[in-house]
């Protein structure tokens, strides 16, 4: 096993030296100019008649969130709101434009094309970044059933989150409602990382199964999002550029909303249409430049020590496996008390006995409170192939009920041969969502 001696969690000072190598070329001066012009347009539109939503003007004047990822979600939300306004439905002003509005119609279609492209780039960035982080973390996870279960639990958790979003949309939830939920889910992921790093909450039991994970990784994910932790350096370096883009896209969305509300009484003149068009072109091009840049920074960022640097961590097999003798004519049992449904029971076991009598029976039972037994995994007698010197099996299942589960190895059919059984068995609780 490679030593982790000398490794420390990534610090803010360490990231500062790293970010020195990646200065972001400043945003175009057109961003601040056009934002100011769009703010003036919003004031002009608001003067025509009070907006139907009082919070709309407040939103245009509100300061952006502090966190980088929250700003990313806010930009994505505004893009979707804009595209919703521009979709060609019978209720949309875009669909009702008259022939003498051909110039406005052309402008708005170019607006839609630009935001379609920007939204696609945004989704791709978020997806790839999420996959990269999880993949990096998994390089440190034990490459046995525990790593598999962590993947399965993550996938199940993400399916549940997506189902929650789908249910909200199906019930008539707005884009704003949807993104409020998405951000809430993002914060839940962050809390779960903190729980994993500090071995609290549902991870208090789970973390003891992560043998082989360097403590430096657990320390890092515990502190990564602290108020003055490593991410604060990222916010100071790159946040102001993103904040300006967030304000600009919000101004574009608010101005379009106000324009739709006053479509019958207020018409954009040529200069105002040119302003809208230029603002969209500058915003989308600068936003795509920003996420391309920050994607490269993230891809090379030393947030996690690479496996090549830290070395391949051993599995500490002597601490993980137990070895017992199953005498001829006997069975051996392991009981696990499962506290909640949707836990995972998993096992690895092997039989090493040379070429003679390489077989053993195995099954999994559920014992109810009344003592009634139900077979979960039917009994099967496993035998090694003729050319094998070892029988090795691995498996897992998700529990449907809490209670007592029993794993049984059977050598009762053998009259003479004892079996050397080497095994590890664990029950890993489900990664439930925090209730607070």
């Amino acid at each position: 096993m490679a030593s982790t001696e000398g490794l420390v969690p990534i610090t803010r000072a360490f990231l500062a030296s790293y970010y020195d190598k990646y200065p972001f070329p400043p945003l175009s001066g057109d961003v601040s100019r056009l934002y100011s012009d769009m703010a003036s347009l919003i004031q002009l539109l608001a003067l025509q008649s009070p907006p139907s939503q009082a919070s709309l003007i407040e939103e245009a004047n509100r300061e952006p969130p502090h966190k980088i990822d929250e700003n990313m979600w806010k930009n994505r939300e505004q893009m979707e709101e804009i595209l919703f306004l521009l979709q060609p439905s019978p209720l949309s002003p875009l669909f009702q434009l008259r022939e003498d509005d051909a110039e406005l119609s052309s402008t708005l279609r170019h607006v839609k094309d630009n935001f379609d492209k920007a939204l696609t780039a945004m989704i791709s960035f978020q997806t790839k970044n999420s996959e990269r982080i999880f993949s990096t973390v998994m390089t440190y996870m034990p490459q046995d059933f525990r790593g598999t279960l962590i993947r399965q639990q993550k996938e199940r958790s993400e399916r549940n989150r997506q189902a929650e979003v789908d249910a909200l949309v199906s019930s008539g939830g707005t884009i704003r409602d949807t993104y409020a939920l998405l951000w809430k889910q993002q914060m839940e992921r962050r809390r779960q990382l903190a729980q994993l790093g500090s071995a609290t909450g549902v991870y208090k039991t789970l973390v003891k199964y992560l043998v082989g994970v360097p403590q430096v990784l657990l320390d890092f994910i515990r502190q990564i999002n602290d108020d003055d932790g490593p991410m604060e350096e990222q916010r100071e370096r790159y946040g102001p550029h993103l904040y300006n883009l967030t304000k600009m896209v919000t101004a574009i969305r608010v101005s379009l909303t106000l324009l739709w509300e006053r479509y019958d009484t207020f018409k954009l003149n040529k200069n105002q249409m040119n302003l809208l068009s230029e603002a969209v072109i500058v915003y989308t091009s600068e936003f795509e430049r920003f996420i391309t840049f920050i994607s490269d920074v993230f891809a090379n960022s030393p947030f996690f020590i690479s496996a090549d640097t830290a070395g391949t961590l051993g599995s500490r097999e002597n601490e993980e496996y137990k070895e017992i003798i199953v005498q001829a004519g006997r069975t051996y049992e392991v009981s696990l008390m499962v506290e909640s449904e949707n836990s995972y029971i998993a096992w690895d076991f092997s039989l090493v006995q040379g070429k003679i009598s390489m077989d053993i029976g195995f099954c999994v039972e559920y014992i109810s409170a009344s003592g009634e037994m139900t077979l979960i995994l039917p009994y099967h007698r496993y035998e090694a192939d003729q050319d094998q010197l070892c029988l090795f099996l691995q498996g897992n299942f998700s529990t449907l009920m809490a209670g007592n589960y029993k794993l049984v190895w059977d050598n009762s059919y053998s009259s003479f041969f004892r079996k050397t059984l080497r095994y590890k068995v664990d029950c890993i609780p489900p990664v439930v969502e925090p209730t607070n």
Side-chain angles (χ1 to χ4, degrees):
M1 182 177 76
S3 173
T4 57
E5 182 179 357
L7 293 181
V8 296
I10 305 304
T11 63
R12 180 172 177 178
F14 189 96
L15 281 183
S17 64
Y18 169 75
Y19 290 149
D20 285 342
K21 305 172 186 175
Y22 291 87
F24 179 70
L27 294 175
S28 166
D30 291 334
V31 171
S32 59
R33 173 181 63 83
L34 290 166
Y35 169 73
S36 178
D37 290 345
M38 291 298 295
S40 297
L41 178 59
I42 289 172
Q43 289 181 347
L44 177 62
L45 289 166
L47 286 174
Q48 302 304 309
S49 61
S52 60
Q53 305 174 49
S55 61
L56 200 58
I57 302 302
E58 294 177 7
E59 184 177 2
N61 296 323
R62 189 178 303 145
E63 286 300 309
H66 183 58
K67 295 180 174 64
I68 294 289
D69 50 351
E70 188 173 3
N71 272 272
M72 290 293 188
W73 282 109
K74 181 58 67 175
N75 276 263
R76 182 170 167 179
E77 175 188 347
Q78 300 294 350
M79 291 181 196
E80 293 229 32
E81 292 276 16
I82 289 168
L83 290 170
F84 177 77
L85 289 170
L86 297 177
Q87 65 183 4
S89 70
L91 298 179
S92 167
L94 181 63
F95 188 81
Q96 302 169 30
L97 289 175
R98 298 181 293 272
E99 291 184 5
D100 59 347
D101 291 324
E103 188 173 5
L104 177 59
S105 177
S106 176
T107 297
L108 294 178
R109 285 188 169 84
H110 281 102
V111 168
K112 182 179 182 303
D113 290 343
N114 277 279
F115 274 107
D116 275 331
K117 183 171 177 288
L119 180 60
T120 299
M122 177 66 184
I123 294 172
S124 175
F125 163 77
Q126 288 183 312
T127 301
K128 289 179 181 178
N129 192 52
S130 177
E131 291 173 349
R132 178 187 65 82
I133 292 173
F134 183 69
S135 177
T136 302
V137 171
M138 289 306 295
T139 63
Y140 294 103
M141 295 301 175
Q143 302 302 305
D144 57 19
F145 68 76
R146 292 165 301 171
T148 300
L149 295 183
I150 290 169
R151 287 185 183 276
Q152 290 173 340
Q153 289 189 331
K154 175 183 179 292
E155 291 167 0
R156 183 176 63 191
S157 181
E158 290 305 311
R159 284 196 301 270
N160 290 340
R161 290 188 176 107
Q162 185 58 51
E164 190 179 11
V165 172
D166 292 343
L168 175 63
V169 173
S170 298
S171 65
T174 64
I175 293 174
R176 178 184 291 270
D177 294 336
T178 300
Y179 276 88
L181 175 58
L182 288 170
W183 179 244
K184 174 176 173 287
Q185 292 177 344
Q186 182 72 359
M187 293 304 291
E188 287 171 353
R189 294 183 186 96
R190 183 171 294 178
R191 282 192 292 269
Q192 286 186 349
L193 273 180
Q195 287 178 343
L196 175 59
S198 56
T200 59
V202 297
Y203 288 103
K204 188 173 184 178
T205 302
L206 175 61
V207 77
K208 74 177 183 179
Y209 299 115
L210 303 185
V211 179
V213 179
Q215 185 62 41
V216 63
L217 176 60
L218 296 177
D219 292 342
F220 172 72
I221 61 179
R222 185 187 70 250
Q223 70 180 35
I224 183 62
N225 287 305
D226 287 352
D227 289 341
D228 196 37
M231 288 298 95
E232 188 60 26
E233 185 65 30
Q234 182 188 101
R235 295 169 198 135
E236 284 195 4
R237 293 293 183 106
Y238 307 121
H241 307 289
L242 183 56
Y243 302 157
N244 286 332
L245 292 170
T246 303
K247 290 167 67 175
M248 190 173 185
V249 72
T250 302
I252 293 172
R253 199 269 295 180
V254 170
S255 64
L256 282 172
T257 303
L258 293 173
L259 177 62
W260 267 196
E261 291 181 354
R262 291 150 184 77
Y263 176 69
D264 291 330
T265 59
F266 181 89
K267 302 300 179 186
L268 291 179
N269 60 39
K270 187 173 182 63
N271 288 337
Q272 291 165 337
M273 280 191 283
N274 288 340
L275 168 62
L276 176 61
S277 180
E278 185 182 6
V280 170
I281 291 171
V282 169
Y283 165 77
T284 54
S285 61
E286 288 293 272
F287 183 79
E288 289 178 48
R289 181 169 73 88
F290 179 82
I291 62 173
T292 298
F293 168 84
I294 208 71
S295 181
D296 290 338
V297 174
F298 288 174
N300 298 299
S301 176
F303 292 169
F304 300 100
I305 306 299
S306 71
D308 289 338
T309 301
T312 303
L313 298 172
S315 61
R316 291 168 59 187
E317 290 184 348
N318 291 337
E319 295 182 21
E320 296 177 18
Y321 283 90
K322 293 182 179 180
E323 188 171 297
I324 58 99
I325 302 296
V326 185
Q327 299 291 347
R330 305 291 296 273
T331 62
Y332 178 75
E333 301 175 353
V334 172
S335 292
L336 295 172
M337 183 56 67
V338 176
E339 296 182 356
S340 60
E341 62 183 35
N342 293 323
S343 297
Y344 275 93
I345 290 180
W347 61 86
D348 287 355
F349 71 84
S350 61
L351 209 61
V352 183
Q353 191 74 18
K355 293 186 177 180
I356 302 177
S357 192
M358 286 295 296
D359 60 353
I360 196 164
F362 179 69
C363 66
V364 180
E365 304 170 351
Y366 172 75
I367 311 299
S368 69
S370 63
E372 182 181 355
M373 188 273 286
T374 302
L375 271 178
I376 302 299
L377 180 69
Y379 178 89
H380 184 77
R381 189 166 160 182
Y382 295 93
E383 300 182 19
D385 294 336
Q386 291 184 351
D387 58 348
Q388 289 182 314
L389 298 180
C390 175
L391 171 67
F392 177 81
L393 289 171
Q394 182 182 96
N396 70 81
F397 68 94
S398 177
T399 62
L400 297 178
M401 299 172 288
N404 185 24
Y405 289 80
K406 187 182 295 184
L407 289 80
V408 182
W409 287 268
D410 175 41
N411 195 32
S412 62
Y413 55 82
S414 178
S415 300
F416 304 104
F417 297 106
R418 66 181 188 175
K419 309 293 168 61
T420 301
L421 176 67
R422 193 164 178 267
Y423 74 92
K424 58 181 175 182
V425 172
D426 282 315
C427 174
I428 298 181
V431 179
V432 297
E433 313 302 341
T435 56
N436 57 343

